[in-house]
Amino acid sequence: MRCFILLIFAFAFVGCETLQRVDSGRQWDDSLLFIIEDGKTTAKDIAYSFGPPQKEIVGATGRIWIYYKTTYKYFSQDGYLTRLAENEEYSLTLWFNKDGIVTNHTLSYNHYIAPDTSEKEAFKNQQLEQPSGGSHQ
């Protein structure tokens, strides 16, 4: 009987591992990407379509605007991160000359699924829990 009580007591303090999700940045409407033409599109056009940049780097020959959206899915237990399950990153980077005209732009996407995470675990979108505080921007 003592072993049974100790076993119940031990399980009471062992937390379950849950899949959590954190979003940062801001997703843009992909249908707006067609407006970007190197040598023609202005910073004003970009700001109107995509909003203000999330990061801006200003230099002597112009500036760089960066827009990004990142989603992390991770497992936690008792409030602690135990392992990364999945990471998805979108990035739109635009280079402008001194006159505010786009000179170059890149769109990148990276997707990582941890080797020890099954596809079933990584894509449980309906069962994801948001950490307290919700989405981070």
Side-chain angles (χ1 to χ4, degrees):
M1 181 68 172
R2 281 187 185 180
C3 287
F4 181 70
I5 291 172
L6 287 174
L7 191 59
I8 291 173
F9 186 72
F11 280 118
F13 288 101
V14 175
C16 294
E17 192 174 59
T18 58
L19 186 61
Q20 306 259 338
R21 176 185 177 137
V22 175
D23 293 304
S24 66
R26 169 176 75 233
Q27 182 64 49
W28 53 85
D29 182 355
D30 285 342
S31 69
L32 296 174
L33 294 171
F34 78 94
I35 72 153
I36 305 171
E37 290 185 56
D38 295 350
K40 288 186 176 183
T41 308
T42 67
K44 187 176 179 178
D45 297 331
I46 298 297
Y48 179 79
S49 298
F50 294 91
Q54 288 152 294
K55 292 185 181 182
E56 180 176 34
I57 302 166
V58 179
T61 59
R63 59 187 145 172
I64 300 170
W65 283 5
I66 301 170
Y67 296 87
Y68 64 90
K69 168 78 165 107
T70 304
T71 300
Y72 298 99
K73 295 177 188 172
Y74 62 92
F75 289 96
S76 67
Q77 186 171 343
D78 299 327
Y80 295 99
L81 171 72
T82 56
R83 61 190 168 104
L84 182 64
E86 185 178 5
N87 179 33
E88 200 170 18
E89 299 174 331
Y90 298 86
S91 176
L92 173 62
T93 305
L94 301 119
W95 288 263
F96 297 91
N97 62 20
K98 286 183 181 180
D99 299 323
I101 306 293
V102 174
T103 58
N104 192 16
H105 68 284
T106 61
L107 180 63
S108 64
Y109 172 77
N110 294 304
H111 188 204
Y112 169 78
I113 297 177
D116 64 340
T117 304
S118 72
E119 214 172 288
K120 184 178 176 185
E121 288 177 318
F123 294 101
K124 283 187 194 173
N125 292 325
Q126 307 88 300
Q127 297 179 9
L128 292 177
E129 296 178 20
Q130 283 284 357
S132 58
S135 178
H136 302 287
Q137 295 233 2

